[in-house]
Amino acid sequence: MQPIRVQTTPFDDQKPGTSGLRKQVRVFQQPHYLENFVQSIFDTQALAGATLVLGGDGRYHNRQAIQTILRMAAANGVARCLVGQGGILSTPATSCVIRRRRTAGGIILSASHNPGGPDGDFGIKFNTANGGPAPEGVTGAIYARSREIDHYLTLDTPDVELDRIHQFTLGGMRVEIIDPVADYAELMAAQFDFEAIRALLAGGFRMAFDAMHAVTGPYARRILEQQLGAPEGTVRNGEPLEDFGGGHPDPNLAHAAELVALTRGPEGLDFAAASDGDGDRNMILGRDIFVTPSDSLAILAANATVFPPWREGIPGVARSMPTSQAVDRVAARLGIACYETPTGWKFFGNLLDAGRIAFCGEESFGTGSSHVREKDGLWAVLAWLNLLAVRRQPVRELVRAHWAEYGRNYYSRHDYEAVDKAAAEALMADLRARLPDLAGTRLAGRVIRLADDFSYTDPIDGSVAERQGIRILFEDGARIVFRLSGTGTVGATLRLYLESLETDPTAQCQDPQQALAELIAAADELAGIRRHTGRERPDVIT
Ligand code: G16
């Protein structure tokens, strides 16, 4: 079958953000929009004759996009394509399939935690042969190609059947519709002590997992309910829906409020967790406690030897710059390396590939290990279950014991969403201009040790990423960080990250907003958030 050559002209807005190209669905529905980006992938990556993995989080437009990409893949000479049944593959499961089956890469269709449906968002990203998000060099090449594209290749074929596990040929390409869960479930069984978790769940431990009508439902049902014996119904909202049931598939205190309520009070559940649209984020809750993602990373690192692959310890850890420094304290105690990278999972890739780190995480509800090259929501949930199965302690006790031993990094993130873009950029520019004068001055009763715009040199390949967020570091370990989000689709999102350190084990536990009140006020004073944005308060506080 001869490929059809379709003439096209470039769009000027196809620059991938923190995690691929993310736009409103209606942007993707413009003629040629998806095709241009997909052809830019085929034009810059060596995929002819290779095997590709393809799937998405099941959101609105997922199925149509899969049909389009399959035709284009066949027309561009891809030899074989592995597609998740029903078009479903979580982001970490895609990474797992790419790695286990040694494919040349994969295409993931998702806008992660952003809402779905005709008025929601859609997204696409390319993962390379290591299973991880394409590094800057690759996304840069794809973007550059999208600026000069003048045609794409496709086939004139009817839609293929995605809902049945089967194999067929499309043009000259072999298509295999695969079980989206099987490879991933096997990998999980090798990472954790399933026997111990089964015993925990059989002993009256009460838990819930909220899949938020997003992609993790089928994974959580198979692993938690069928393999580990959690009672049916443990997985809530387990049916993936195109619009996520109208919800915001973002596992945080604001968007998973119902789940949080189940953990409150003396009758609260022992444990609850949630994952996001594409299954890479996680939220961990115990009775009357929310474990911040930063603390979760630190606690998992401190207890790494309970996990079967890490009985002998871990080589190192990494966190994104805005993530709290709790894990740094654990690494220092364990005498292992700790890397600080820019926001974006792709920056962990080289460190993981080189075996320098075992665990890594981000404040944005991402936690993971070297088992795949994406953050992994269910991995984090299983890690906590494994830890609790060994420690046999309530979550709250375990977390408090950690704080008593290592100190507590009070932490919070304040998001100002859909702010006028020019205003947000002006705020950052004003602040940047004043950075050189800040070191040594006092703010919020503390002395500023260093003020800079974070830049990172990758220790493996020497690549440099600049302007990754403004850091105000204080002598007592506190920090204020300002950053513009790279995943929003409307205006700009300003993120303000706040952190202070309490090392007195006898100090009263405070509400983080209270503990950070001085820093919160200081951040506004310093950056003029209200003045620049016209906003009196953040939209989301986590
Ligand atoms: C993506 C990246 C994460 C990153 C997050 C930051 O998450 O994969 O590594 O931490 O974006 O988002 P922002 O730039 O808005 O702060 P996801 O889950 O959206 O793919």
Side-chain angles (χ1 to χ4, degrees):
M1 189 181 301
Q2 280 306 309
I4 301 169
R5 190 185 155 101
V6 181
Q7 299 301 319
T8 186
T9 47
F11 291 88
D12 58 12
D13 62 345
Q14 298 205 316
K15 190 173 168 66
T18 317
S19 192
L21 183 66
R22 234 171 247 184
K23 300 280 174 197
Q24 289 168 310
V25 166
R26 61 177 90 88
V27 173
F28 271 100
Q29 284 172 328
Q30 299 172 84
H32 311 314
Y33 191 89
L34 175 69
E35 290 87 343
N36 276 16
F37 191 78
V38 171
Q39 188 64 47
S40 302
I41 298 176
F42 290 127
D43 285 350
T44 53
Q45 309 304 308
L47 298 170
T51 300
L52 191 66
V53 182
L54 177 61
D57 63 9
R59 70 177 57 224
Y60 184 82
H61 205 53
N62 192 48
R63 284 172 172 272
Q64 294 91 314
I66 286 186
Q67 300 287 354
T68 301
I69 296 169
L70 279 175
R71 287 187 193 102
M72 290 183 66
N76 278 279
V78 170
R80 188 165 150 249
C81 196
L82 309 175
V83 188
Q85 186 182 15
I88 293 280
L89 265 178
S90 79
T91 292
T94 308
S95 184
C96 163
V97 174
I98 294 172
R99 292 170 67 77
R100 290 188 119 208
R101 307 198 188 199
R102 298 181 194 283
T103 76
I107 293 178
I108 302 177
L109 303 170
S110 170
S112 186
H113 53 290
N114 296 14
D119 297 322
D121 291 341
F122 191 74
I124 175 168
K125 71 171 181 171
F126 177 67
N127 279 27
T128 48
N130 74 344
E136 303 257 285
V138 173
T139 53
I142 295 170
Y143 174 56
R145 180 65 193 151
S146 78
R147 302 290 297 129
E148 57 191 29
I149 193 160
D150 62 3
H151 74 276
Y152 59 84
L153 300 178
T154 186
L155 298 180
D156 183 14
T157 49
D159 281 358
V160 300
E161 211 219 296
L162 298 174
D163 291 310
R164 194 160 52 83
I165 292 179
H166 66 144
Q167 302 193 3
F168 54 92
T169 302
L170 180 69
M173 181 174 79
R174 192 83 195 135
V175 180
E176 294 177 27
I177 308 293
I178 61 168
D179 176 347
V181 181
D183 288 52
Y184 179 81
E186 267 180 43
L187 180 64
M188 288 303 106
Q191 302 300 310
F192 301 110
D193 186 344
F194 270 28
E195 272 315 307
I197 301 176
R198 259 184 220 117
L200 175 79
L201 294 174
F205 183 85
R206 292 166 60 233
M207 71 165 284
F209 175 84
D210 192 344
M212 305 186 94
H213 285 305
V215 81
T216 43
Y219 295 86
R221 279 196 177 136
R222 177 101 50 99
I223 297 172
L224 295 173
E225 295 183 3
Q226 292 166 21
Q227 300 186 342
L228 293 169
E232 212 173 294
T234 297
V235 177
R236 307 161 68 86
N237 303 319
E239 218 56 64
L241 298 178
E242 285 200 332
D243 65 348
F244 308 118
H248 200 134
D250 193 0
N252 63 32
L253 296 176
H255 298 306
E258 255 181 51
L259 186 73
V260 175
L262 294 178
T263 60
R264 293 286 151 89
E267 294 305 310
L269 298 174
D270 297 306
F271 180 76
S275 191
D276 71 331
D278 61 331
D280 58 1
R281 297 187 173 205
N282 74 89
M283 176 170 69
I284 302 292
L285 301 157
R287 185 178 310 122
D288 291 325
I289 189 164
F290 156 61
V291 186
T292 70
S294 299
D295 278 343
S296 174
L297 173 64
I299 292 167
L300 295 180
N303 292 284
T305 53
V306 308
F307 306 116
W310 308 110
R311 295 261 190 252
E312 309 296 319
I314 51 176
V317 287
R319 63 165 171 84
S320 67
M321 181 275 281
T323 304
S324 99
Q325 301 161 100
V327 74
D328 303 35
R329 306 177 66 75
V330 172
R333 181 81 63 90
L334 296 177
I336 59 173
C338 180
Y339 298 87
E340 182 178 38
T341 59
T343 294
W345 204 262
K346 61 188 170 204
F347 291 103
F348 296 134
N350 281 343
L351 296 168
L352 291 163
D353 284 349
R356 297 249 190 130
I357 60 170
F359 293 177
C360 43
E362 298 186 279
E363 51 68 37
S364 52
F365 295 81
T367 324
S369 86
S370 52
H371 69 289
V372 289
R373 292 294 178 274
E374 289 279 4
K375 55 187 182 275
D376 188 343
L378 263 176
W379 178 90
V381 174
L382 292 166
W384 269 89
L385 288 173
N386 193 154
L387 178 57
L388 295 169
V390 173
R391 292 274 181 271
R392 295 284 173 157
Q393 238 178 336
V395 175
R396 195 168 133 110
E397 242 177 55
L398 201 147
V399 173
R400 289 197 166 180
H402 181 91
W403 291 337
E405 192 175 345
Y406 292 93
R408 176 174 183 184
N409 293 71
Y410 281 105
Y411 188 79
S412 182
R413 186 177 101 184
H414 290 197
D415 296 334
Y416 297 81
E417 293 177 343
V419 171
D420 177 66
K421 210 167 173 207
E425 279 163 6
L427 179 152
M428 294 296 280
D430 276 8
L431 198 52
R432 207 170 273 129
R434 282 182 289 133
L435 290 176
D437 306 323
L438 290 179
T441 62
R442 290 183 79 84
L443 188 68
R446 303 165 152 95
V447 178
I448 297 178
R449 177 169 72 77
L450 180 109
D452 72 354
D453 199 346
F454 181 61
S455 98
Y456 176 68
T457 304
D458 186 297
I460 310 296
D461 66 15
S463 59
V464 178
E466 282 173 331
R467 291 194 158 203
Q468 296 296 318
I470 292 175
R471 306 188 291 181
I472 313 290
L473 310 185
F474 295 89
E475 286 185 345
D476 66 354
R479 295 194 310 168
I480 303 176
V481 172
F482 300 86
R483 207 187 132 253
L484 297 185
S485 154
T487 61
T489 56
V490 182
T493 295
L494 171 69
R495 302 209 194 282
L496 167 65
Y497 310 83
L498 305 138
E499 176 181 0
S500 70
L501 176 64
E502 176 58 78
T503 48
D504 176 0
T506 63
Q508 285 296 316
C509 274
Q510 289 187 65
D511 167 55
Q513 302 309 315
Q514 232 178 325
L516 296 164
E518 277 177 12
L519 286 172
I520 294 169
D524 187 47
E525 185 190 316
L526 186 67
I529 301 175
R530 280 185 287 186
R531 179 165 47 83
H532 277 288
T533 65
R535 300 288 176 82
E536 280 304 311
R537 60 189 65 82
D539 299 282
V540 179
I541 295 181
T542 43

